[in-house]
């Protein structure tokens, strides 16, 4: 019976996973096509069953047959989390016409009661004469290794990084999706960010991504392998023109030499190192309309609010709870807690908040639950006033005011805490008149002045020394508090070792991705604190030069750069878990060496 229940539970989890999986409909354009070639175009529907497929003809190309339908399903358990996905592919086969630029019109399909559409995608048909040209004279093609010869100059349209924004204009606090994506026609052997893009004037919510070159995309009529390097949701904090500064990357691409082996030729891979900078993103942020209504605290989006009182009876000295729940889409993580007008006869505790969010596309949805605990101190009839929640809706460009009901409660007398017999006895003794001590009849003869005692002057001198010491310590502490750079430098090692403990936990759990991410965070954070420089300004060049100027040895500097390279390469190298012990040990040693280095 238990085994049967387990199967039912597992089936329910699979069903729920499929229900909440994200449905998408996309098109896969053809790779390099020449005049007269036969080529496929595939439309893929993920995590849903489709019907009523609508596909338009490609002008200038001849449809041979289609669609050919194929289905795929996969189920995977990673770290105890079940992931189930499915896809349906519709493939059409065409015959290429004359050379030129062509467009695949948008297609649509019905799935789960909703119609999904693809975007129009362009591709290029090349002249048949280009097929016979030497590889060095043909444009670099992601599927043509012959065009990726060693020594060939890597152009800016062969490998580049794009900052893609979901919108170019928005209001303050309105959510904007940002994707940083790598486009390449070459295979990548190593990828090292030397400067991350900066988001000045914005709060960001980063999303988990696993960079891998596993998607083909057509951009400006050319095919590229792509990898999403970073995804985040931006919440601009001020109006005006905001700029997302570009990032810098050191990339090693793979090119090939043709080596003559006598009877045959083999391709020998060669690495070519290039430097790539992303584009600069620009945002036009509109100010929120003025005047702002009373009660507006910065919530932007679309929300609803609800409140409820826990319990029906109220007594003095008994705690009660009022719960507010705000749900919606927008900057829910940065919404301020409502301020409730409680009667002065109520003792209030610090509100307890719980925020749950999830990302759908370029929007953040979720809820914020706030629990207000209060204790009535007096008997009588009381009213907890209604509250209003004001937010700005960027879709309607208007402020919306939501109100919650007022609560009328009747407080009865609760149980009083009894006073123990011991407490009463102490109170009675403290209230009695104490006995008067008469002392000696001749105090001038029986007592000696304290100032004539040696211990008095010893105590006086000790207090003087203690006072001077406290003044010196206080001045030193004030100086250290003002020296922000010095404090960060002094604490750099402690902060780094705490982060290394987190990396060690991921290493023991066998989670290589989180391990290398935590190692990089520990090392970059350590360098930022040690050198008093923001992480965004750190690079291998200024790390080496700055450490050298501070008197650190070249051996320590080289070891640090080597660990950074190992971590970055491992993030984009499959089966890197076997090197975690070595990388961790090197990271601990290099920090200890820098701390113990005599300058």
């Amino acid at each position: 019976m238990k085994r049967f229940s387990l199967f039912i539970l597992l089936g329910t989890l699979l069903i729920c996973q499929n229900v909440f999986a994200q449905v998408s409909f996309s098109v896969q354009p053809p790779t390099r096509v020449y005049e007269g070639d036969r080529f496929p175009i595939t439309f893929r529907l993920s995590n849903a069953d489709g019907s009523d497929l609508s596909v338009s003809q490609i002008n200038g190309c001849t449809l041979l047959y289609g669609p050919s339908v194929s289905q795929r399903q996969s189920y995977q358990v990673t770290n105890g989390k079940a992931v189930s996905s499915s896809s349906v592919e519709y493939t059409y086969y065409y015959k290429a016409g004359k050379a030129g630029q062509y467009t695949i019109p948008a297609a649509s399909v019905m799935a789960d009661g909703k119609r999904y559409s693809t975007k129009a995608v362009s591709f290029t048909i090349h002249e048949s004469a280009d097929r016979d040209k030497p590889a060095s004279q043909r444009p670099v093609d992601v599927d043509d290794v012959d065009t990726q010869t060693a020594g060939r100059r890597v152009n800016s349209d062969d490998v580049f990084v794009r900052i893609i924004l979901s919108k170019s204009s928005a209001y303050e606090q309105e959510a904007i999706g940002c994707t940083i994506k790598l486009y390449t026609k070459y295979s990548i052997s190593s990828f090292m960010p030397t400067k991350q893009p900066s988001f000045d004037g914005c709060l960001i919510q980063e999303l988990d991504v696993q960079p891998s070159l596993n998607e083909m995309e057509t951009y400006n009529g050319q095919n590229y392998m792509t990898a999403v390097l970073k995804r985040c949701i931006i919440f601009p904090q001020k109006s005006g023109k905001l700029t997302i500064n570009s990032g810098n990357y050191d990339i090693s691409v793979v090119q090939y030499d043709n080596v003559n082996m006598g009877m045959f030729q083999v391709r020998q891979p060669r690495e070519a190192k290039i430097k790539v900078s992303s584009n600069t993103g620009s945002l036009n942020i509109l100010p929120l309309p003025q005047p702002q209504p009373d009660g507006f605290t910065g919530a932007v989006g679309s929300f609803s609010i609800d409140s409820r009182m826990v319990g029906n009876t109220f007594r003095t000295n008994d705690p009660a709870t009022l719960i507010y729940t705000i749900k919606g889409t927008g900057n829910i993580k940065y919404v301020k807690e409502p301020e409730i007008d409680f009667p002065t006869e109520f003792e209030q505790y610090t509100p307890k908040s719980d925020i749950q969010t999830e990302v759908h596309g370029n929007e953040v949805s979720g809820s914020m639950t706030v629990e207000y605990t209060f204790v009535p101190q007096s008997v009588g009839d009381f009213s907890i006033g209604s509250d209003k929640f004001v937010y700005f809706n960027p879709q309607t460009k208007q402020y919306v005011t939501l109100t919650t009901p007022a609560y009328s409660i009747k407080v009865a007398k609760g149980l009083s805490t009894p006073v123990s017999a011991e407490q009463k006895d102490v109170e009675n003794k403290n209230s009695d008149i104490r006995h008067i001590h008469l002392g000696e009849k001749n105090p001038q003869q029986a007592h000696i002045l304290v100032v004539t005692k040696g211990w008095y002057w010893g105590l006086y001198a000790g207090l003087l020394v203690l006072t001077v010491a406290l003044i010196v310590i206080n001045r030193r502490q004030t100086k250290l508090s003002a020296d922000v750079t010095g404090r960060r430098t002094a604490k750099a090692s402690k902060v780094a070792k705490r982060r290394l403990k987190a990396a060690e936990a991921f290493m023991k759990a066998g989670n290589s991705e989180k391990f290398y991410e935590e190692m990089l965070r520990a090392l970059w954070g350590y360098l930022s604190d040690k050198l008093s420089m923001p992480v965004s300004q750190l690079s291998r060049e200024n790390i080496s030069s700055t450490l050298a100027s501070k008197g650190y040895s070249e051996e320590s500097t080289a070891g640090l750069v080597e660990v950074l390279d190992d971590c970055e390469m491992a993030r984009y190298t499959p089966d890197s878990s076997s090197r975690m012990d070595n990388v961790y040990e090197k990271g601990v040693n290099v920090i200890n060496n820098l701390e113990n280095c005599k300058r």
Side-chain angles (χ1 to χ4, degrees):
M1 185 66 182
K2 292 182 178 179
R3 185 177 298 177
F4 180 70
S5 301
L6 181 61
F7 286 147
I8 293 178
L9 177 60
L10 181 59
T12 304
L13 290 175
L14 287 174
I15 293 173
C16 292
Q17 179 66 37
N18 286 330
V19 169
F20 293 102
Q22 186 174 1
V23 179
S24 62
F25 187 46
S26 59
V27 58
Q28 182 175 347
T31 55
R32 192 171 186 85
V33 180
Y34 294 94
E35 293 176 323
D37 283 355
R38 294 174 57 184
F39 62 92
I41 293 178
T42 300
F43 299 91
R44 178 180 298 169
L45 176 63
S46 300
N47 303 313
D49 293 328
S51 62
D52 191 21
L53 177 66
S54 176
V55 178
S56 301
Q57 173 66 27
I58 301 176
N59 295 329
C61 296
T62 304
L63 175 64
L64 299 178
Y65 63 92
S68 173
V69 182
S70 62
Q71 295 183 345
R72 297 180 183 178
Q73 283 190 332
S74 65
Y75 173 74
Q76 184 177 3
V77 178
T78 304
N79 295 329
K81 182 179 180 181
V83 178
S84 176
S85 62
S86 63
S87 64
V88 182
E89 293 185 349
Y90 307 91
T91 304
Y92 291 81
Y93 293 88
Y94 292 86
K95 182 177 181 180
K98 296 181 179 180
Q101 194 81 6
Y102 291 82
T103 300
I104 303 174
S108 64
V109 68
M110 287 295 297
D112 296 341
K114 182 179 178 181
R115 181 163 288 277
Y116 292 86
S117 301
T118 64
K119 295 181 179 180
V121 177
S122 61
F123 69 99
T124 303
I125 296 179
H126 301 273
E127 295 181 1
S128 57
D130 292 343
R131 195 196 305 267
D132 300 327
K133 287 183 178 179
S136 59
Q137 297 180 12
R138 298 200 302 265
V140 178
D141 194 298
V142 66
D143 290 320
D144 189 355
V145 178
D146 290 335
T147 63
Q148 303 173 16
T149 55
R152 184 169 187 169
R153 184 175 181 272
V154 182
N155 296 321
S156 59
D157 61 345
D158 294 333
V159 181
F160 56 90
V161 176
R162 289 180 64 206
I163 297 177
I164 306 171
L165 300 173
S166 61
K167 58 184 74 174
S168 59
S169 179
Y171 283 96
E172 293 179 54
Q173 297 287 347
E174 184 179 357
I176 303 171
C178 177
T179 302
I180 302 178
K181 185 182 287 189
L182 169 67
Y183 290 75
T184 177
K185 295 179 181 178
Y186 292 91
S187 297
I188 303 295
S189 61
S190 69
F191 183 92
M192 181 68 64
T194 57
K195 177 186 176 183
Q196 294 285 4
S198 60
F199 301 84
D200 296 336
C202 300
L203 293 175
I204 65 171
Q205 178 177 347
E206 294 200 26
L207 309 179
D208 291 334
V209 295
Q210 297 181 349
S212 58
L213 288 170
N214 57 359
E215 291 290 337
M216 181 76 73
E217 184 176 327
T218 299
Y219 179 71
N220 289 338
Q222 301 185 58
N223 294 328
Y224 296 90
M225 292 297 295
T226 64
V228 176
L229 305 177
K230 182 174 183 177
R231 280 198 66 217
C232 59
I233 306 297
I234 301 174
F235 296 94
Q237 300 299 297
K238 59 182 180 180
S239 60
K241 184 178 181 180
L242 299 183
T243 300
I244 301 176
N245 296 322
S246 62
N248 297 332
Y249 309 90
D250 289 344
I251 304 176
S252 294
V253 300
V254 179
Q255 297 179 322
Y256 297 91
D257 270 337
N258 288 326
V259 180
N260 192 347
M261 303 296 291
M263 298 292 295
F264 55 90
Q265 287 187 340
V266 296
R267 292 189 177 94
Q268 183 71 33
R270 305 289 185 191
E271 288 190 356
K273 296 184 178 181
I274 61 173
K275 295 183 180 293
V276 174
S277 297
S278 66
N279 63 316
T280 300
S282 181
L283 290 169
N284 180 30
I285 305 304
L286 305 175
L288 296 176
Q290 298 291 338
Q292 296 178 355
D294 293 338
F296 178 70
T297 58
V300 176
S302 178
F303 302 96
S304 63
I305 188 170
D306 183 35
S307 66
R308 60 187 178 92
M309 187 75 70
V310 178
N312 299 318
T313 59
F314 304 91
R315 296 178 179 275
T316 56
N317 299 319
D318 287 345
T321 304
L322 175 63
I323 300 178
Y324 271 67
T325 303
I326 301 173
K327 297 181 179 180
T329 300
N331 59 341
I332 185 71
K333 292 185 66 174
Y334 309 106
V335 171
K336 293 183 179 180
E337 299 172 352
E339 296 183 0
I340 310 302
D341 184 18
F342 286 99
T344 56
E345 293 84 356
F346 289 3
E347 180 182 356
Q348 302 175 40
Y349 292 87
T350 302
K352 179 182 177 182
S353 299
D354 180 35
I355 301 177
Q356 301 290 335
T357 62
E358 57 183 5
V359 177
H360 298 283
N362 297 314
E363 298 289 346
V364 179
S365 301
S367 63
M368 180 176 72
T369 303
V370 187
E371 296 184 4
Y372 299 88
T373 301
F374 60 92
V375 180
Q377 300 293 324
S378 302
V379 176
D381 295 331
F382 301 95
S383 176
I384 299 178
S386 63
D387 183 62
K388 62 180 180 180
F389 176 72
V390 183
Y391 69 90
F392 177 74
N393 190 328
Q395 303 299 323
T396 61
K397 302 179 181 180
Q398 293 180 344
Y399 290 96
V400 180
T401 301
L402 305 177
T403 58
T404 56
Y407 292 93
S408 299
I409 62 176
K410 185 175 182 180
V411 179
K413 184 174 181 58
L415 297 177
S416 300
T417 303
V419 180
S420 65
E422 293 180 356
Q423 291 175 322
K424 291 182 178 179
D425 185 52
V426 172
E427 290 175 359
N428 290 334
K429 289 181 179 180
N430 289 337
S431 62
D432 287 345
I433 299 176
R434 297 184 178 183
H435 177 68
I436 299 176
H437 181 67
L438 298 178
E440 299 291 338
K441 294 181 179 180
N442 299 313
Q444 69 278 6
Q445 298 178 1
H447 296 281
I448 301 174
L449 293 176
V450 177
V451 294
T452 62
K453 299 289 185 180
W455 61 264
Y456 171 80
W457 293 104
L459 179 62
Y460 185 84
L463 290 175
L464 183 62
V465 172
L466 180 62
T467 303
V468 174
L470 290 176
I471 294 174
V472 172
I473 293 173
N474 181 62
R475 289 182 177 179
R476 181 181 179 185
Q477 190 65 32
T478 302
K479 184 178 180 180
L480 289 176
S481 300
D483 185 10
V484 178
T485 301
R487 285 190 291 117
R488 287 186 59 189
T489 303
K491 294 182 179 179
S493 177
K494 294 182 180 179
V495 176
K497 290 181 179 178
R498 186 169 63 248
R499 290 172 175 167
L500 286 175
K501 287 185 178 180
E504 182 182 12
F506 288 124
M507 178 182 66
K508 293 180 179 179
N511 191 337
S512 61
E513 179 184 352
K514 291 292 185 180
F515 167 75
Y516 288 112
E517 180 181 342
E518 199 64 35
M519 283 293 295
L520 283 173
R521 185 178 301 172
L523 293 172
W524 285 115
Y526 171 75
L527 289 171
S528 176
D529 294 338
K530 197 70 177 176
L531 304 181
S532 301
M533 296 174 62
V535 176
S536 61
Q537 297 180 7
L538 291 176
S539 65
R540 280 154 182 73
E541 292 78 10
N542 60 25
I543 289 174
S544 301
S545 61
T546 305
L547 287 175
S549 66
K550 290 181 178 292
Y552 290 97
S553 64
E554 295 183 1
E555 181 181 356
S556 300
T557 304
L560 178 62
V561 173
E562 181 182 355
V563 175
L564 290 173
D565 291 339
D566 289 345
C567 292
E568 286 292 352
M569 183 173 295
R571 295 182 66 191
Y572 303 96
T573 303
D575 193 20
S576 58
S577 58
S578 60
R579 302 195 301 270
M580 288 192 292
D581 291 339
N582 185 32
V583 172
Y584 177 77
E585 183 177 357
K586 290 166 65 177
V588 173
N589 291 337
V590 77
I591 291 179
N592 290 335
N593 290 340
L594 287 175
E595 290 298 313
N596 298 328
C597 181
K598 294 183 178 181
R599 295 177 289 168

